[in-house]
Amino acid sequence: MGCGKRSLTTAAVALVCAITVLGAPGMAYAAPANPTPTPTPPAAPTTKSGKDLEAVREKLDKLYHDAAVATDAYNAAEEKTGKQSTQIVELAKAIVKGQAKLDSLQDRAGAAARAQYRGGGLPPEAQLWLSDSPQEYLDGAGRVRQGEHGTKGLLAEMKRTQQDLAQYTKDASAQWERLEANRKTRAAAKKKIKQRIAAAEKLESQLEKDEKKRLAKLEEDTAYQAQTAWLSSGVLDEINSKASAQGKKAVQYATAQVGRPYVWGAEGPKSFDCSGLTSQAWASAGHPIPRTSQQQWQQLERVDIKDMRPGDLVIYFGDASHVGMYIGDGAIVHAPRPGRTVTITGAGSMPILGVVRPDK
């Protein structure tokens, strides 16, 4: 998820003023000449109706869903930033190495040019006449030709090195621009995540203690109803595939994290977001997969729900903003959303987009 965190919803606490009726049947009160204002009794909170709490749940769901989408964007930008930083470092090393090579080639070319200048002042006829023997002249002429070829080779290599340096510099500049763009994307996503989570937490803090309990029960009931509807379709009767060896390892890792807190952008070992849990589970099984739920949906092999097996990833919502790992018997293990911990729940408790398989 990045990852996502489908859960509960929001509203505001409604307050009503209690109205005090003064007087008793059969008695009348004359207004005093200088009436004293009647103190207004303190506002008494009313218990939210089921409809009000449902509105709260829906609003919380939306806030946490938006935070999940932003978390996926943050995780993707974070991953790209890391890769681009590594590439820039490698390009910088290549530029330093290339410049050193160019300096060496220039020194060699300069030495060759100076040698040719010192020995090339006489015409060939004079060199032959002054030489002690024709063979020495021929040997010298051969060395000159070799030197000329070597110089040409040096110049060609210098040209290639200069071209490589220019390309390295251009690539480094482009990577730097992309790095800055991803940093901005990451910063914007981080800001949105914090805003949505803060709004959700504020909304929940406005609920009375009893209302929070009722809201939690409403969330459980909603998830149970969705799971019941999913199972009633008979889908579980068709799911009978066994986990692969790597799938078993991934499931063991994921279920061992039950109880650890959800933290956006986290991928263990003490906390996780939804895709942080699934990606680390498969990494522990020796099979690295993409970091975010959207990347997992886009890049991994898709399978029909009826062919689902433990270790497969169930992707949720139309924008692939949440992911859980199927563990068998119609259940998944997942990191739900801020304020919750890694838990096991029904695979059909949220709207399923599809299923992907990390290992073929």
Side-chain angles (χ1 to χ4, degrees), residues 104-179:
S104 176
L105 290 172
Q106 288 174 334
D107 289 342
R108 289 169 57 191
R114 289 190 295 272
Q116 284 183 342
Y117 176 77
R118 287 193 299 269
L122 294 175
E125 296 83 0
Q127 293 182 26
L128 176 61
W129 183 71
L130 292 172
S131 66
D132 293 334
S133 71
Q135 187 60 47
E136 287 182 3
Y137 168 76
L138 292 174
D139 291 344
R143 287 194 295 271
V144 169
R145 284 195 295 272
Q146 290 175 359
E148 290 175 346
H149 289 312
T151 301
K152 289 180 180 178
L154 278 174
L155 294 175
E157 192 171 358
M158 284 173 59
K159 184 177 181 180
R160 288 193 298 270
T161 302
Q162 288 172 329
Q163 291 173 339
D164 288 344
L165 279 172
Q167 187 61 49
Y168 292 153
T169 303
K170 182 179 179 181
D171 290 346
S173 177
Q175 287 289 1
W176 185 261
E177 290 178 0
R178 286 192 282 269
L179 177 63

Side-chain angles (χ1 to χ4, degrees), residues 158-357:
M158 284 173 59
K159 184 177 181 180
R160 288 193 298 270
T161 302
Q162 288 172 329
Q163 291 173 339
D164 288 344
L165 279 172
Q167 187 61 49
Y168 292 153
T169 303
K170 182 179 179 181
D171 290 346
S173 177
Q175 287 289 1
W176 185 261
E177 290 178 0
R178 286 192 282 269
L179 177 63
E180 288 301 304
N182 276 314
R183 281 176 175 166
K184 292 179 181 178
T185 299
R186 185 178 58 177
K190 183 176 182 180
K191 181 179 180 180
K192 185 174 182 179
I193 293 166
K194 289 187 173 182
Q195 288 176 338
R196 297 301 187 273
I197 292 177
E201 290 175 344
K202 181 179 179 180
L203 182 59
E204 289 185 280
S205 71
Q206 294 173 336
L207 297 174
E208 297 295 327
K209 185 177 181 179
D210 179 65
E211 290 174 332
K212 290 179 181 179
K213 291 182 179 179
R214 290 173 55 214
L215 178 61
K217 182 64 167 59
L218 178 59
E219 292 171 353
E220 292 176 4
D221 290 346
T222 301
Y224 175 78
Q225 290 170 8
Q227 175 73 354
T228 300
W230 184 67
L231 292 177
S232 66
S233 67
V235 64
L236 198 59
D237 297 335
E238 300 179 353
I239 301 175
N240 54 18
S241 299
K242 294 182 179 180
S244 64
Q246 285 185 315
K248 289 180 180 178
K249 292 180 181 179
V251 169
Q252 288 172 353
Y253 179 95
T255 52
Q257 311 312 314
V258 169
R260 296 192 183 278
Y262 176 101
V263 175
W264 65 268
E267 45 189 334
K270 296 183 179 180
S271 58
F272 298 86
D273 63 19
C274 69
S275 57
L277 177 64
T278 54
S279 61
Q280 286 303 303
W282 273 100
S284 74
H287 191 88
I289 62 174
R291 169 64 176 87
T292 73
S293 59
Q294 293 178 346
Q295 291 170 337
Q296 290 167 6
W297 172 243
Q298 293 165 0
Q299 299 177 30
L300 299 179
E301 179 187 10
R302 299 182 185 182
V303 298
D304 290 337
I305 292 179
K306 63 182 178 61
D307 298 321
M308 185 164 58
R309 69 189 188 193
D312 287 348
L313 307 182
V314 185
I315 310 296
Y316 294 96
F317 310 113
D319 52 8
S321 57
H322 190 67
V323 60
M325 178 179 291
Y326 187 65
I327 61 174
D329 296 325
I332 62 165
V333 57
H334 73 144
R337 55 101 162 158
R340 297 292 186 265
T341 60
V342 175
T343 188
I344 293 174
T345 190
S349 59
M350 296 169 283
I352 297 176
L353 176 61
V355 179
V356 293
R357 177 165 297 161

